[in-house]
Amino acid sequence: MCIMSAQRADKLKRVLEAVPAGFVVDARWLENHGVSRFLTRNYVESGWLERLEPGVFRRPSPQSVPLDWKSCVLSLQKIMGYHVHVGGMSALDLQGYRHYLALGEHPPVWLYGSDTPTWLSRLTLDAPLISRPLSLFDDRSLGLTENNNVNAPTLPWGWTLRLSSPERAILEALDELPAHESFHHLDMVFEGLATMRPRQLTALLQSCRKIKLRRLFFVFADRHKHAWRERLDPDDFNLGTGDRALIRGGKIHPRYRIVVPPEFVDIPTADADGP
């Protein structure tokens, strides 16, 4: 009996050392660390864990703060080892590139991963998490970075949030056109992307699996004429052949052969010496 109690105490100690207050683990992680369902139930009844959803548990926080999306994503990345990252407009937002602040509720958080757990959509968080697969690039880890400026309620042990660099994030955001992002919003965001790195953009565009996305990128890049644009030659990338219809009621871009809003099509001005 004493040996059994010592073993249970040791397992609890390992859980408490691995899971900071306010962070989350799931039943799979607990079982992989030798904590049975019976023992998990015992931890819940004793107040060491609280059940958020079936198979999902949080170590109680002394401040009793609600579970926020950043603590949840950090739990996935740093504790449970899920291969997920924050991307798209959410990554741009965290790095200071959002053009305007949303009023009211927090905007959706774009989460990219190959093994995103199904229970994630059932959690009540301060922002909805929208999952996307890791299928946009051949090199799934290209353009990822770590950020410690996440403003989570509790950020233990120098943890950093894994997210897309601005170069990768803007391509992920462009991929949401037109269903989940607007041309107008991304046009304003693109205006602020003056410091992107052409070498990383080159690698990402070469790794990108979507011709539509490469064409869209150059539509915006030509429109804003940042200094890094001069380091990128569209002929170095596979832009495919034939026209691509993206939206209704738009115009075909004369160079990149994709249908975009009329204001995104450069209309040549008449030569002053012409007729």
Side-chain angles (χ1 to χ4, degrees), residues 110-266:
W110 298 94
L111 192 66
Y112 293 76
S114 58
D115 56 353
T116 307
T118 57
W119 50 259
L120 199 59
S121 61
R122 302 197 302 267
L123 294 182
T124 301
L125 305 171
D126 60 344
L129 297 178
I130 300 179
S131 297
R132 288 288 184 265
L134 288 176
S135 56
L136 192 55
F137 302 97
D138 289 325
D139 185 347
R140 296 185 172 190
S141 64
L142 185 63
L144 297 183
T145 186
E146 298 282 337
N147 190 301
N148 59 7
N149 185 28
V150 296
N151 295 321
T154 55
L155 190 60
W157 308 326
W159 281 358
T160 55
L161 185 71
R162 186 162 62 250
L163 73 169
S164 296
S165 65
E167 293 84 1
R168 177 170 178 145
I170 191 60
L171 290 171
E172 291 168 337
L174 287 171
D175 191 43
E176 298 300 330
L177 286 172
H180 301 289
E181 274 294 349
S182 72
F183 276 86
H184 175 68
H185 183 209
L186 287 182
D187 193 41
M188 292 188 294
V189 171
F190 223 97
E191 186 177 4
L193 297 176
T195 59
M196 291 205 295
R197 297 162 292 181
R199 184 173 297 179
Q200 181 151 133
L201 283 170
T202 296
L204 285 161
L205 288 167
Q206 289 174 341
S207 184
C208 180
R209 293 178 171 178
K210 293 189 176 182
I211 288 173
K212 174 201 78 171
L213 195 51
R214 287 193 285 270
R215 293 188 188 188
L216 274 175
F217 173 82
F218 280 106
V219 169
F220 281 88
D222 287 4
R223 180 175 171 85
H224 290 280
K225 299 180 173 62
H226 292 306
W228 49 259
R229 170 63 181 87
E230 299 178 3
R231 304 275 300 278
L232 301 176
D233 184 351
D235 293 337
D236 291 340
F237 306 96
N238 177 17
L239 298 182
T241 59
D243 295 345
R244 302 294 168 102
L246 186 64
I247 61 170
R248 293 182 178 180
K251 290 186 177 180
I252 190 75
H253 193 281
R255 181 172 186 183
Y256 300 115
R257 311 308 300 173
I258 188 168
V259 177
V260 292
E263 62 268 26
F264 283 76
V265 176
D266 291 328

Side-chain angles (χ1 to χ4, degrees), residues 3 14 16 41 45 48 55 58 62 69 71 79 85 117 119 123 137 142 154 176 190 234-235 245 263:
I3 295 176
R14 291 201 300 268
L16 298 181
R41 186 163 58 248
E45 293 172 352
W48 294 110
R58 179 169 75 158
W69 75 263
S71 297
I79 301 175
H85 71 270
W119 50 259
L123 294 182
F137 302 97
L142 185 63
T154 55
E176 298 300 330
F190 223 97
D235 293 337
E263 62 268 26

Side-chain angles (χ1 to χ4, degrees), residues 41-108:
R41 186 163 58 248
N42 181 265
Y43 289 171
V44 172
E45 293 172 352
S46 301
W48 294 110
L49 293 175
E50 59 178 318
R51 181 180 286 107
L52 300 176
E53 287 287 335
V56 189
F57 308 89
R58 179 169 75 158
R59 182 180 171 190
S61 171
Q63 293 82 19
S64 299
V65 294
L67 180 62
D68 68 296
W69 75 263
K70 294 174 185 175
S71 297
C72 181
V73 172
L74 283 166
S75 298
L76 292 170
Q77 294 179 348
K78 305 304 182 183
I79 301 175
M80 292 176 278
Y82 284 98
H83 299 288
V84 298
H85 71 270
V86 177
M89 189 53 62
S90 303
L92 291 167
D93 187 8
L94 286 169
Q95 295 170 90
Y97 291 103
R98 180 174 288 275
H99 186 80
Y100 59 83
L101 295 176
L103 299 177
E105 297 182 356
H106 196 291

Side-chain angles (χ1 to χ4, degrees), residues 11 14-15 26-37 40 79-80 82:
K11 290 177 181 179
R14 291 201 300 268
V15 170
D26 57 14
R28 185 179 75 170
W29 184 90
L30 288 167
E31 291 176 2
N32 288 340
H33 287 75
V35 180
S36 65
R37 293 186 179 182
T40 299
I79 301 175
M80 292 176 278
Y82 284 98

